[in-house]
Every structure is written in C-alpha cells, then in structure tokens.
C-alpha cells in the first residue's frame, strides 16, 4: 500500500471511473481532461500501488485481482467523501425542534424575549429559545465552543472570531413615580443630585450610567442599589427613588408601572445593541434563520 500522505487522492477518482467504465477515453471525457492526462494518471496509480491495476483486453481495461480487492473500499470512501462535501440540508423553521441558546442581560430579556417568543411561536412552533446569563470571557468561551448560538445586547468586551450586526442605539432615561413630589421633566442637575437614586450595581455592560452619575456628583455609596434591572420598576413605583436606565426599558416600564420619564441632566454615551455570532456558524442554516428573525424584528431601519 502507498503512503496516503504521498498519494494524490484525485487519482482515486480516476481509479473508480476505470472500474466503472473500463475505458480510458471514457474516463478522460468524464473528467474533462485529455487522453494523455488520463493515461498519465493511470501511470501514477500503477507506480503508487506497484501493480498494473488495469490491463487492456478486447473487453476493455479489466482490473487486476489487486484492483478488484481495492475497488469496494475505494468506492465506499469516495461515496462518504461526496456525501460529506454536499451542502448541508436547509433549515426548516416550521418543522424544526432545535433549541437555541442566546446570551442576554436581564434588560435584554425584558426587551427581546417577549416578541422573540411570539415570532417563534408563530413561525417556528417547535423551536425553543433559552436565554443564558453570560458575560466577558465566559461568554466568549461558550460562543467559541458553540454552546451559545448568539449574544444579544451591548457586549463590547467580546473579541476574536465573532461577527456582529448592529440592531439599534439608545440613550438613557430616568424613571420616577407619578405623583413624585419633586421629580419632573426638565429638572436641573442640582435638583437631580438632591434626589435619592436607585442604582443597578451589576449593570455591565451598562455600567457607564453609574460612571456618569458619579462624575456628575451623585454619590453611589450614599444611595440604594439592586444587582439587576428587573426589580427597578417595582421599586420605583412604590418609592420616591429615581432610577436611570436604558431608554427602551424606561419606555416599556413607564406604561406598565405608571411611571414618569425624564431626560437625566448628565451626559452619557449612547448604548449600542448588537447581535453577535461566531464565524464558525456564519453559514449554519438555523443560526442564519434566527439572526435574520432578530434583525427583522428588532433592527432599526
């Protein structure tokens, strides 16, 4: 047997065609090469296997016993390779039962999950979307490994191997209880600093709002805090605390909890939310479908 590392595997295609056609001219036509090229390929096969392999007879190029011995395994190997190289089957959302894992923050879940669930229930009833809480190196590792399909939100710390598409930009808004004795739209920085504030202490990747508040003179240590955004509307609706949160969350919570909204008198950079995926799965049918669904549903035109 020849060393596979030294064997041009294209020669096995010539071998298989000779087994099937038993005519070198027919093999040349089938491969789209000249007769001399086909003859040269047969010569190289004979040298590689140290056997004539095919002998010219009135009945055509008949295989030697060694070629007959090889023929079944070569045919099976080429069949497996052909199947492996075929395009993967298309993703059919209407009949798929695939489960997708999507990384989001709690504020991302509030914004994305209700409509995402509704679209999946309508267009892909068997598909399930599981939200996971991961950030930083942990999220990067899970995306690299394929354990997380997508990330949705403002994950600026994600790095190599990932592709992304912007969905929208948003600023921040301050929530307050309707009937609050002093909070109102247009309030100045001095009055804003004098109020009691509710901070979100584990706000990454939204921590820039806390930095902006401290820079404006609001001492975080002197106020109240919760680790996540989900509790904010409940607390603000029952107290006189102010809470500065991403604008889309503020707009969503205001109507549901009877809250007022004001523009905070501090400068905060706009927040950009993206959909992220690993380049390994760029052409995966299911990943493409979910990305397109998310862009179609949430991207600002």
């Amino acid at each position: 047997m020849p060393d596979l590392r030294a064997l041009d595997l294209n020669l096995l295609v010539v071998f298989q065609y000779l087994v099937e056609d038993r005519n070198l001219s027919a093999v040349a036509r089938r491969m789209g090469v000249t007769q001399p090229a086909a003859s040269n390929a047969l010569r190289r096969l004979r040298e590689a296997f140290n056997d004539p392999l095919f002998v010219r007879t009135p009945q055509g190029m008949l295989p030697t016993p060694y070629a007959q011995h090889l023929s079944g395994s070569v045919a099976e190997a080429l069949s497996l390779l052909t199947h492996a190289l075929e395009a993967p089957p298309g993703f059919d959302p209407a009949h798929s039962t695939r489960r997708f894992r999507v990384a989001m923050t709690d504020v991302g879940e509030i914004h994305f999950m209700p409509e995402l669930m509704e679209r999946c229930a309508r267009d892909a009833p068997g598909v399930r979307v599981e939200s996971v809480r991961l950030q930083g190196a942990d999220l990067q590792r899970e995306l690299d490994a394929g354990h997380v399909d997508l990330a949705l939100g403002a994950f600026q710390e994600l790095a190599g191997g990932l592709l992304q598409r912007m969905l929208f930009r948003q600023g921040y808004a301050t929530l307050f209880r309707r009937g609050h004795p002093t909070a109102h739209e247009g309030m100045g920085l001095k009055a804003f600093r004098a109020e009691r504030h509710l901070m979100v202490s584990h706000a990454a990747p939204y921590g820039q709002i806390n930095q902006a508040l401290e820079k404006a003179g609001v001492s975080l240590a002197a106020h109240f805090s919760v680790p996540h955004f989900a509790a904010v509307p409940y607390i603000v609706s029952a107290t006189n605390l102010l809470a500065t949160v991403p604008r889309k969350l503020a707009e969503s919570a205001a109507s549901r909890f009877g809250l007022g909204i004001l523009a905070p008198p501090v400068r905060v950079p706009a927040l950009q939310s993206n959909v992220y995926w690993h380049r390994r799965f760029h052409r995966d049918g299911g990943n493409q479908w979910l990305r397109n669904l998310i862009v179609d549903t949430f991207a600002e035109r």
Side-chain angles (χ1 to χ4, degrees):
M1 277 290 293
D3 186 344
L4 277 178
R5 292 172 297 179
L7 179 65
D8 181 353
L9 296 183
N10 289 311
L11 295 177
L12 296 182
V13 178
V14 176
F15 177 92
Q16 180 61 29
Y17 286 174
L18 273 171
V19 169
E20 296 171 2
D21 297 338
R22 303 193 176 186
N23 184 289
L24 203 56
S25 297
V27 169
R29 288 193 298 271
R30 207 168 158 185
M31 297 192 67
V33 300
T34 64
Q35 172 90 23
S39 297
N40 184 56
L42 177 56
R43 178 187 59 77
R44 293 171 61 197
L45 274 167
R46 286 168 170 166
E47 291 175 354
F49 287 98
N50 193 28
D51 187 90
L53 296 178
F54 298 91
V55 178
R56 193 180 303 279
T57 74
Q59 290 78 39
M61 300 286 288
L62 297 185
T64 66
Y66 185 46
Q68 288 179 318
H69 164 74
L70 292 173
S71 61
S73 297
V74 170
E76 183 179 1
L78 290 175
S79 176
L80 285 171
L81 279 172
T82 300
H83 179 71
L85 296 174
E86 288 175 351
F91 180 77
D92 182 3
H95 298 96
S96 175
T97 57
R98 182 164 167 178
R99 185 177 297 273
F100 293 93
R101 300 181 81 231
V102 181
M104 307 180 203
T105 62
D106 63 329
V107 69
E109 289 170 345
I110 293 168
H111 180 70
F112 294 115
M113 284 299 278
E115 197 163 356
L116 189 55
M117 290 175 175
E118 183 64 27
R119 286 291 304 270
C120 285
R122 185 173 74 242
D123 301 337
V127 164
R128 295 293 177 265
V129 176
E130 174 188 354
S131 171
V132 296
R133 298 279 183 85
L134 292 166
Q135 292 180 3
D138 291 335
L139 176 54
Q140 181 78 47
R141 184 166 52 250
E142 293 295 281
L143 284 165
D144 290 345
H147 298 156
V148 168
D149 297 283
L150 301 173
L152 275 179
F155 297 102
Q156 296 98 332
E157 73 276 15
L158 292 177
L162 299 182
L163 302 173
Q164 59 183 282
R165 203 276 197 190
M166 190 185 81
L167 297 175
F168 52 80
R169 295 178 187 270
Q170 62 175 319
Y172 289 83
T174 299
L175 292 170
F176 60 93
R177 177 180 64 82
R178 290 197 184 278
H180 191 291
T182 52
H184 58 87
E185 177 59 87
M187 68 187 302
L189 179 58
K190 183 178 179 180
F192 185 79
R193 280 200 301 252
E195 296 293 339
R196 295 187 304 161
H197 292 262
L198 177 64
M199 309 295 176
V200 182
S201 58
H202 295 170
Y206 306 97
Q208 57 193 15
I209 183 59
N210 291 345
Q211 297 172 13
L213 290 173
E214 281 200 312
K215 189 174 181 180
V218 178
S219 173
L220 302 189
H223 296 273
F224 302 92
S225 68
V226 291
H228 304 293
F229 283 106
V232 167
Y234 294 91
I235 296 171
V236 173
S237 66
T239 68
N240 285 331
L241 297 174
L242 305 187
T244 302
V245 301
R247 176 161 286 277
K248 288 185 181 294
L249 174 62
E251 292 171 348
S252 173
S255 58
R256 290 180 172 87
F257 290 86
L259 304 176
I261 297 178
L262 63 90
V266 297
R267 295 176 64 87
V268 189
L271 189 66
Q272 179 172 308
S273 291
N274 300 334
V275 53
Y276 302 83
W277 65 98
H278 201 281
R279 66 175 63 252
R280 288 173 54 211
F281 304 99
H282 182 64
R283 297 182 63 185
D284 174 76
N287 196 290
Q288 286 182 330
W289 170 80
L290 186 56
R291 295 193 319 256
N292 290 336
L293 179 68
I294 288 167
V295 169
D296 181 63
T297 306
F298 299 106
E300 293 181 347
R301 302 291 184 253

